[in-house]
Amino acid sequence: MFKTHLYQRLQKISGALIPTTMAAVVLSNSPQISVSNRSVDPAANRSSLETSVTFSLGAAAQAQIALRPDWSDLEQEILAEQNRVRQNPQSYIPILERYLANMTEDGYVIHGCGQNCVLTTREGRSAVREAIAFLERQPAVVPLAESGAASRAAKSHARDQRGGATGHVSSDGTPFWERLSQFGMRNVGMGENIAYGARSAEQVVMNLIVDDGVPDRGHRTNMFAPNWAVAGVGCGDHATYRTVCVVDYATQ
């Protein structure tokens, strides 16, 4: 068994939060997956909600509540959306093509992180084109059954990060593979993706597929790994990035 971590730098433009992702994987007898070691310290930034409009404290809280997703629904939608693209990778090509059509030559996406919020990318259009080419040749893989243990582990980590923490290590110092083990995932290969700032299942999945700024596309590798059998999703509020969604995978 070996442990690897992959982190994507958190980005910012004009004070607006850019949805970002983090991935990690622990493999047990799973030579098909390879995620290189890389660690980048995340940069702190305020959310686009806080920077694009001036609110009184009361109004800001009310606006945040009004924009809050139904977490249980979002968790189920992410699991379903992952299974959709695993079973039919080509179904996401039109989604990425629409995303590409809205991107400027400089890699900016108007309204890409919300109304009147301009999203910037690290690689620009080339990463989206590469993702489309990947989907064109990616074969279908088995859907993932929902795991109660993985779901509880993911929800626990999402709750743990609501104060603004990021990454795969719990606030008490527990690494993600030990956290999953505590929830009953033992003697199996396991992995974890985390998305910050995304507010829909489609946005979460699209960001993980494009994997902008990650040379070896480790998040995409997790999503399409053929040896995963189960997954669990946990989402919640995040003090810095508004939302956090954790997806845990395992081979059982």
Side-chain angles (χ1 to χ4, degrees), residues 13 17-19 99 107-113 117-121 203:
I13 175 174
L17 168 72
I18 303 308
Y99 179 61
Y108 296 100
V109 184
I110 308 301
H111 308 306
C113 46
C117 178
V118 179
L119 183 148
T120 188
T121 61
Q203 188 178 32

Side-chain angles (χ1 to χ4, degrees), residues 90-158:
Q90 291 72 42
S91 69
Y92 250 67
I93 291 175
I95 294 171
L96 265 62
E97 288 176 337
R98 288 194 298 270
Y99 179 61
L100 183 63
N102 289 325
M103 184 181 292
T104 69
E105 291 297 329
D106 294 329
Y108 296 100
V109 184
I110 308 301
H111 308 306
C113 46
Q115 189 67 25
N116 300 322
C117 178
V118 179
L119 183 148
T120 188
T121 61
R122 297 186 68 186
E123 298 178 67
R125 297 170 65 88
S126 63
V128 184
R129 293 192 185 101
E130 188 271 333
I132 291 172
F134 166 86
L135 292 175
E136 289 174 341
R137 62 179 184 273
Q138 170 64 32
V141 290
V142 297
L144 305 176
E146 185 174 14
S147 161
S151 297
R152 290 190 294 273
K155 293 175 195 291
S156 172
H157 197 51

Side-chain angles (χ1 to χ4, degrees), residues 17-168:
L17 168 72
I18 303 308
T20 189
T21 52
M22 290 187 174
V25 63
V26 172
L27 307 177
S28 177
N29 299 322
S30 304
Q32 304 97 319
I33 305 175
S34 176
V35 183
S36 64
N37 292 306
R38 182 165 178 255
S39 179
V40 178
D41 291 331
N45 188 31
R46 295 187 299 166
S47 73
S48 58
L49 176 66
E50 294 169 326
T51 56
S52 61
V53 183
T54 301
F55 290 108
S56 68
L57 180 61
Q62 293 172 10
Q64 189 73 353
I65 291 171
L67 291 172
R68 180 179 297 138
D70 182 301
W71 300 124
S72 295
D73 286 349
L74 180 58
E75 289 159 1
Q76 290 302 309
E77 288 164 5
I78 291 172
L79 185 62
E81 201 73 3
Q82 282 193 133
N83 280 337
R84 169 191 168 187
V85 75
R86 282 174 65 91
Q87 294 177 93
N88 184 4
Q90 291 72 42
S91 69
Y92 250 67
I93 291 175
I95 294 171
L96 265 62
E97 288 176 337
R98 288 194 298 270
Y99 179 61
L100 183 63
N102 289 325
M103 184 181 292
T104 69
E105 291 297 329
D106 294 329
Y108 296 100
V109 184
I110 308 301
H111 308 306
C113 46
Q115 189 67 25
N116 300 322
C117 178
V118 179
L119 183 148
T120 188
T121 61
R122 297 186 68 186
E123 298 178 67
R125 297 170 65 88
S126 63
V128 184
R129 293 192 185 101
E130 188 271 333
I132 291 172
F134 166 86
L135 292 175
E136 289 174 341
R137 62 179 184 273
Q138 170 64 32
V141 290
V142 297
L144 305 176
E146 185 174 14
S147 161
S151 297
R152 290 190 294 273
K155 293 175 195 291
S156 172
H157 197 51
R159 286 193 301 270
D160 190 44
Q161 295 201 334
R162 60 191 171 190
T166 60
H168 300 283

Side-chain angles (χ1 to χ4, degrees), residues 202-240:
E202 183 177 288
Q203 188 178 32
V204 169
V205 171
M206 183 183 72
N207 288 345
L208 294 172
I209 293 172
V210 175
D211 222 357
D212 178 62
V214 181
D216 60 8
R217 311 304 190 205
H219 309 91
R220 184 193 298 169
T221 298
N222 263 349
M223 177 161 293
F224 287 98
N227 56 331
W228 296 146
V230 298
V233 184
C235 297
D237 291 308
H238 193 273
T240 304

